């Protein structure tokens, strides 16, 4: 997973939107993103395209990782917000070729580890940057 992301230019201080169901692929992606020094922007797999668009606009991710089943509905939204859509299967294998040797180095110190979104009960959902410990 780190090789896929590094091959797409993800590095320290970048953001990666992660829209995968609970699975080993989601766990591998989360850890690969943090290991590269980038920030995870977790997105619920039940979000519809307008909700995904709102979250992408507020977090400006470089890459959007989604399941192969979700990719067709997310392609236009990702493109509109400058995020490269990358589809992976349930095992975390990318739909496109990548260099598995381009793995991660040591995580960058400081920075942002994740940007979860608030529930949006009284206002639109907002990203809440979380620093690693």
């Amino acid at each position: 997973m780190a090789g896929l992301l590094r091959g797409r230019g993800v590095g320290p201080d970048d953001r990666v939107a992660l829209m995968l169901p609970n699975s080993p692929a989601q766990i591998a992606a989360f850890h690969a993103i943090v290991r590269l020094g980038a920030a995870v922007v977790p997105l619920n797999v039940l979000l519809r395209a307008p909700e995904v668009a709102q979250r992408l606009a507020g977090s400006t991710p470089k890459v959007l990782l989604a399941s192969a089943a979700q990719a067709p509905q997310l392609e236009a939204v990702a493109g509109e917000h400058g995020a490269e859509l990358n589809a992976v299967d349930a095992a975390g294998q990318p739909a496109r070729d990548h260099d598995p040797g381009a793995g991660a180095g040591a995580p960058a110190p400081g920075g942002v580890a994740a940007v979860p979104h608030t529930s949006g009960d009284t206002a639109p959902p907002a990203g809440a940057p979380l620093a690693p410990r």
Side-chain angles (χ1 to χ4, degrees), residues 2-130:
L4 166 70
L5 294 170
R6 181 159 297 187
R8 301 296 180 253
V10 174
D13 300 324
D14 286 328
R15 293 182 180 194
V16 177
L18 182 57
M19 192 170 180
L20 293 173
N22 292 341
S23 64
Q26 181 198 42
I27 295 167
F30 189 98
H31 287 281
I33 294 164
V34 173
R35 182 77 182 197
L36 288 169
V40 179
V41 180
L43 300 176
N44 189 311
V45 295
L46 300 177
L47 294 176
R48 298 177 192 267
E51 296 164 319
V52 172
Q54 185 270 332
R55 284 156 177 82
L56 294 182
S59 59
T60 61
K62 187 172 208 168
V63 171
L64 168 59
L65 277 178
S67 70
Q70 294 170 306
Q73 295 86 2
L74 298 173
E75 195 167 353
V77 172
E80 289 171 11
H81 295 282
E84 180 184 341
L85 177 63
N86 282 270
V88 296
D89 66 16
Q93 297 300 311
R96 298 190 302 181
D97 292 335
H98 74 287
D99 178 8
V112 174
V115 186
H117 283 78
T118 62
S119 64
D121 288 342
T122 59
L130 302 176

